[in-house]
PDB file of all heavy atoms in Angstrom:
ATOM      1  N   ILE A 396      -5.280 -13.819  13.427  1.00  0.00           N
ATOM      2  CA  ILE A 396      -6.641 -13.354  13.689  1.00  0.00           C
ATOM      3  C   ILE A 396      -7.686 -14.465  13.617  1.00  0.00           C
ATOM      4  O   ILE A 396      -8.558 -14.585  14.490  1.00  0.00           O
ATOM      5  CB  ILE A 396      -7.002 -12.232  12.687  1.00  0.00           C
ATOM      6  CG1 ILE A 396      -6.165 -10.989  12.971  1.00  0.00           C
ATOM      7  CG2 ILE A 396      -8.489 -11.896  12.735  1.00  0.00           C
ATOM      8  CD1 ILE A 396      -6.332  -9.888  11.942  1.00  0.00           C
ATOM      9  N   LEU A 447     -16.168 -13.131  11.434  1.00  0.00           N
ATOM     10  CA  LEU A 447     -15.810 -11.930  12.188  1.00  0.00           C
ATOM     11  C   LEU A 447     -17.044 -11.311  12.839  1.00  0.00           C
ATOM     12  O   LEU A 447     -17.012 -10.911  14.008  1.00  0.00           O
ATOM     13  CB  LEU A 447     -15.137 -10.909  11.270  1.00  0.00           C
ATOM     14  CG  LEU A 447     -13.723 -11.227  10.777  1.00  0.00           C
ATOM     15  CD1 LEU A 447     -13.243 -10.103   9.857  1.00  0.00           C
ATOM     16  CD2 LEU A 447     -12.755 -11.409  11.931  1.00  0.00           C
ATOM     17  N   GLN A 448     -18.124 -11.231  12.093  1.00  0.00           N
ATOM     18  CA  GLN A 448     -19.349 -10.645  12.629  1.00  0.00           C
ATOM     19  C   GLN A 448     -19.905 -11.483  13.779  1.00  0.00           C
ATOM     20  O   GLN A 448     -20.448 -10.952  14.753  1.00  0.00           O
ATOM     21  CB  GLN A 448     -20.401 -10.502  11.527  1.00  0.00           C
ATOM     22  CG  GLN A 448     -20.069  -9.467  10.471  1.00  0.00           C
ATOM     23  CD  GLN A 448     -20.049  -8.054  11.044  1.00  0.00           C
ATOM     24  OE1 GLN A 448     -20.921  -7.666  11.806  1.00  0.00           O
ATOM     25  NE2 GLN A 448     -19.039  -7.275  10.669  1.00  0.00           N
ATOM     26  N   THR A 450     -18.373 -13.038  16.015  1.00  0.00           N
ATOM     27  CA  THR A 450     -17.625 -12.959  17.274  1.00  0.00           C
ATOM     28  C   THR A 450     -18.328 -12.067  18.291  1.00  0.00           C
ATOM     29  O   THR A 450     -18.080 -12.169  19.493  1.00  0.00           O
ATOM     30  CB  THR A 450     -16.205 -12.393  17.045  1.00  0.00           C
ATOM     31  OG1 THR A 450     -16.303 -11.034  16.598  1.00  0.00           O
ATOM     32  CG2 THR A 450     -15.426 -13.217  16.040  1.00  0.00           C
ATOM     33  N   HIS A 451     -19.159 -11.150  17.797  1.00  0.00           N
ATOM     34  CA  HIS A 451     -19.821 -10.159  18.656  1.00  0.00           C
ATOM     35  C   HIS A 451     -18.796  -9.356  19.471  1.00  0.00           C
ATOM     36  O   HIS A 451     -19.069  -8.918  20.579  1.00  0.00           O
ATOM     37  CB  HIS A 451     -20.866 -10.820  19.563  1.00  0.00           C
ATOM     38  CG  HIS A 451     -22.038 -11.344  18.803  1.00  0.00           C
ATOM     39  ND1 HIS A 451     -23.188 -10.612  18.595  1.00  0.00           N
ATOM     40  CD2 HIS A 451     -22.215 -12.518  18.143  1.00  0.00           C
ATOM     41  CE1 HIS A 451     -24.039 -11.318  17.857  1.00  0.00           C
ATOM     42  NE2 HIS A 451     -23.472 -12.471  17.570  1.00  0.00           N
ATOM     43  N   ASN A 452     -17.612  -9.201  18.865  1.00  0.00           N
ATOM     44  CA  ASN A 452     -16.543  -8.384  19.447  1.00  0.00           C
ATOM     45  C   ASN A 452     -16.425  -7.142  18.567  1.00  0.00           C
ATOM     46  O   ASN A 452     -16.238  -7.257  17.349  1.00  0.00           O
ATOM     47  CB  ASN A 452     -15.234  -9.177  19.460  1.00  0.00           C
ATOM     48  CG  ASN A 452     -14.048  -8.365  19.931  1.00  0.00           C
ATOM     49  OD1 ASN A 452     -13.638  -7.422  19.270  1.00  0.00           O
ATOM     50  ND2 ASN A 452     -13.474  -8.751  21.062  1.00  0.00           N
ATOM     51  N   MET A 453     -16.540  -5.954  19.167  1.00  0.00           N
ATOM     52  CA  MET A 453     -16.612  -4.752  18.346  1.00  0.00           C
ATOM     53  C   MET A 453     -15.351  -4.526  17.521  1.00  0.00           C
ATOM     54  O   MET A 453     -15.402  -3.963  16.417  1.00  0.00           O
ATOM     55  CB  MET A 453     -16.905  -3.528  19.221  1.00  0.00           C
ATOM     56  CG  MET A 453     -15.851  -3.206  20.250  1.00  0.00           C
ATOM     57  SD  MET A 453     -16.347  -1.771  21.239  1.00  0.00           S
ATOM     58  CE  MET A 453     -14.939  -1.627  22.346  1.00  0.00           C
ATOM     59  N   LEU A 454     -14.186  -4.966  18.023  1.00  0.00           N
ATOM     60  CA  LEU A 454     -12.956  -4.765  17.270  1.00  0.00           C
ATOM     61  C   LEU A 454     -12.837  -5.759  16.119  1.00  0.00           C
ATOM     62  O   LEU A 454     -12.438  -5.394  15.008  1.00  0.00           O
ATOM     63  CB  LEU A 454     -11.748  -4.866  18.207  1.00  0.00           C
ATOM     64  CG  LEU A 454     -11.686  -3.791  19.291  1.00  0.00           C
ATOM     65  CD1 LEU A 454     -10.436  -3.964  20.147  1.00  0.00           C
ATOM     66  CD2 LEU A 454     -11.706  -2.397  18.683  1.00  0.00           C
ATOM     67  N   PHE A 455     -13.165  -7.027  16.368  1.00  0.00           N
ATOM     68  CA  PHE A 455     -13.173  -7.983  15.265  1.00  0.00           C
ATOM     69  C   PHE A 455     -14.187  -7.560  14.204  1.00  0.00           C
ATOM     70  O   PHE A 455     -13.905  -7.633  13.006  1.00  0.00           O
ATOM     71  CB  PHE A 455     -13.500  -9.396  15.763  1.00  0.00           C
ATOM     72  CG  PHE A 455     -12.293 -10.160  16.251  1.00  0.00           C
ATOM     73  CD1 PHE A 455     -12.181 -10.553  17.577  1.00  0.00           C
ATOM     74  CD2 PHE A 455     -11.270 -10.500  15.385  1.00  0.00           C
ATOM     75  CE1 PHE A 455     -11.078 -11.255  18.026  1.00  0.00           C
ATOM     76  CE2 PHE A 455     -10.156 -11.204  15.820  1.00  0.00           C
ATOM     77  CZ  PHE A 455     -10.067 -11.579  17.149  1.00  0.00           C
ATOM     78  N   ARG A 456     -15.360  -7.138  14.641  1.00  0.00           N
ATOM     79  CA  ARG A 456     -16.350  -6.681  13.671  1.00  0.00           C
ATOM     80  C   ARG A 456     -15.854  -5.462  12.909  1.00  0.00           C
ATOM     81  O   ARG A 456     -16.115  -5.316  11.720  1.00  0.00           O
ATOM     82  CB  ARG A 456     -17.662  -6.366  14.388  1.00  0.00           C
ATOM     83  CG  ARG A 456     -18.460  -7.606  14.779  1.00  0.00           C
ATOM     84  CD  ARG A 456     -19.765  -7.245  15.466  1.00  0.00           C
ATOM     85  NE  ARG A 456     -20.724  -8.344  15.400  1.00  0.00           N
ATOM     86  CZ  ARG A 456     -21.967  -8.286  15.856  1.00  0.00           C
ATOM     87  NH1 ARG A 456     -22.391  -7.161  16.440  1.00  0.00           N
ATOM     88  NH2 ARG A 456     -22.777  -9.320  15.755  1.00  0.00           N
ATOM     89  N   GLY A 457     -15.111  -4.599  13.606  1.00  0.00           N
ATOM     90  CA  GLY A 457     -14.561  -3.415  12.956  1.00  0.00           C
ATOM     91  C   GLY A 457     -13.520  -3.726  11.897  1.00  0.00           C
ATOM     92  O   GLY A 457     -13.220  -2.887  11.052  1.00  0.00           O
ATOM     93  N   LEU A 458     -12.973  -4.948  11.935  1.00  0.00           N
ATOM     94  CA  LEU A 458     -11.983  -5.352  10.934  1.00  0.00           C
ATOM     95  C   LEU A 458     -12.624  -5.741   9.603  1.00  0.00           C
ATOM     96  O   LEU A 458     -11.915  -5.909   8.609  1.00  0.00           O
ATOM     97  CB  LEU A 458     -11.183  -6.556  11.442  1.00  0.00           C
ATOM     98  CG  LEU A 458     -10.246  -6.352  12.629  1.00  0.00           C
ATOM     99  CD1 LEU A 458      -9.626  -7.686  13.026  1.00  0.00           C
ATOM    100  CD2 LEU A 458      -9.168  -5.342  12.296  1.00  0.00           C
ATOM    101  N   SER A 459     -13.931  -5.897   9.568  1.00  0.00           N
ATOM    102  CA  SER A 459     -14.584  -6.509   8.404  1.00  0.00           C
ATOM    103  C   SER A 459     -14.239  -5.821   7.087  1.00  0.00           C
ATOM    104  O   SER A 459     -13.897  -6.488   6.100  1.00  0.00           O
ATOM    105  CB  SER A 459     -16.101  -6.526   8.604  1.00  0.00           C
ATOM    106  OG  SER A 459     -16.452  -7.361   9.681  1.00  0.00           O
ATOM    107  N   VAL A 544      -4.266  -2.146  10.393  1.00  0.00           N
ATOM    108  CA  VAL A 544      -5.651  -2.561  10.586  1.00  0.00           C
ATOM    109  C   VAL A 544      -6.242  -1.799  11.762  1.00  0.00           C
ATOM    110  O   VAL A 544      -5.724  -1.881  12.864  1.00  0.00           O
ATOM    111  CB  VAL A 544      -5.752  -4.069  10.875  1.00  0.00           C
ATOM    112  CG1 VAL A 544      -7.205  -4.472  11.081  1.00  0.00           C
ATOM    113  CG2 VAL A 544      -5.157  -4.858   9.720  1.00  0.00           C
ATOM    114  N   PRO A 545      -7.301  -1.039  11.541  1.00  0.00           N
ATOM    115  CA  PRO A 545      -7.908  -0.286  12.652  1.00  0.00           C
ATOM    116  C   PRO A 545      -8.290  -1.225  13.794  1.00  0.00           C
ATOM    117  O   PRO A 545      -8.985  -2.206  13.596  1.00  0.00           O
ATOM    118  CB  PRO A 545      -9.149   0.347  12.003  1.00  0.00           C
ATOM    119  CG  PRO A 545      -8.839   0.397  10.546  1.00  0.00           C
ATOM    120  CD  PRO A 545      -7.987  -0.813  10.283  1.00  0.00           C
ATOM    121  N   GLY A 546      -7.810  -0.928  14.994  1.00  0.00           N
ATOM    122  CA  GLY A 546      -8.163  -1.708  16.164  1.00  0.00           C
ATOM    123  C   GLY A 546      -7.274  -2.903  16.419  1.00  0.00           C
ATOM    124  O   GLY A 546      -7.325  -3.496  17.488  1.00  0.00           O
ATOM    125  N   ALA A 547      -6.406  -3.273  15.445  1.00  0.00           N
ATOM    126  CA  ALA A 547      -5.630  -4.491  15.598  1.00  0.00           C
ATOM    127  C   ALA A 547      -4.647  -4.414  16.762  1.00  0.00           C
ATOM    128  O   ALA A 547      -4.382  -5.387  17.411  1.00  0.00           O
ATOM    129  CB  ALA A 547      -4.879  -4.810  14.305  1.00  0.00           C
ATOM    130  N   ARG A 548      -4.100  -3.220  17.023  1.00  0.00           N
ATOM    131  CA  ARG A 548      -3.146  -3.089  18.110  1.00  0.00           C
ATOM    132  C   ARG A 548      -3.789  -3.445  19.458  1.00  0.00           C
ATOM    133  O   ARG A 548      -3.138  -3.914  20.361  1.00  0.00           O
ATOM    134  CB  ARG A 548      -2.609  -1.664  18.173  1.00  0.00           C
ATOM    135  CG  ARG A 548      -1.716  -1.315  16.964  1.00  0.00           C
ATOM    136  CD  ARG A 548      -1.250   0.119  17.021  1.00  0.00           C
ATOM    137  NE  ARG A 548      -0.422   0.434  15.884  1.00  0.00           N
ATOM    138  CZ  ARG A 548       0.049   1.649  15.633  1.00  0.00           C
ATOM    139  NH1 ARG A 548      -0.240   2.653  16.434  1.00  0.00           N
ATOM    140  NH2 ARG A 548       0.808   1.873  14.582  1.00  0.00           N
ATOM    141  N   SER A 549      -5.093  -3.206  19.562  1.00  0.00           N
ATOM    142  CA  SER A 549      -5.794  -3.489  20.806  1.00  0.00           C
ATOM    143  C   SER A 549      -5.964  -4.970  21.051  1.00  0.00           C
ATOM    144  O   SER A 549      -6.367  -5.377  22.136  1.00  0.00           O
ATOM    145  CB  SER A 549      -7.178  -2.825  20.793  1.00  0.00           C
ATOM    146  OG  SER A 549      -7.052  -1.430  20.606  1.00  0.00           O
ATOM    147  N   LEU A 550      -5.693  -5.797  20.022  1.00  0.00           N
ATOM    148  CA  LEU A 550      -5.905  -7.224  20.150  1.00  0.00           C
ATOM    149  C   LEU A 550      -4.685  -7.913  20.718  1.00  0.00           C
ATOM    150  O   LEU A 550      -4.706  -9.102  21.010  1.00  0.00           O
ATOM    151  CB  LEU A 550      -6.239  -7.837  18.789  1.00  0.00           C
ATOM    152  CG  LEU A 550      -7.469  -7.232  18.092  1.00  0.00           C
ATOM    153  CD1 LEU A 550      -7.687  -7.938  16.761  1.00  0.00           C
ATOM    154  CD2 LEU A 550      -8.702  -7.350  18.962  1.00  0.00           C
ATOM    155  N   ALA A 551      -3.550  -7.228  20.821  1.00  0.00           N
ATOM    156  CA  ALA A 551      -2.319  -7.848  21.286  1.00  0.00           C
ATOM    157  C   ALA A 551      -2.404  -8.168  22.782  1.00  0.00           C
ATOM    158  O   ALA A 551      -3.082  -7.491  23.516  1.00  0.00           O
ATOM    159  CB  ALA A 551      -1.132  -6.928  21.017  1.00  0.00           C
TER     160      ALA A 551
END
Side-chain angles (χ1 to χ4, degrees):
I396 292 173
L447 289 179
Q448 291 294 316
T450 65
H451 292 267
N452 175 294
M453 63 182 180
L454 296 181
F455 274 116
R456 284 181 159 184
L458 292 176
S459 295
V544 180
R548 292 177 180 175
S549 302
L550 302 180

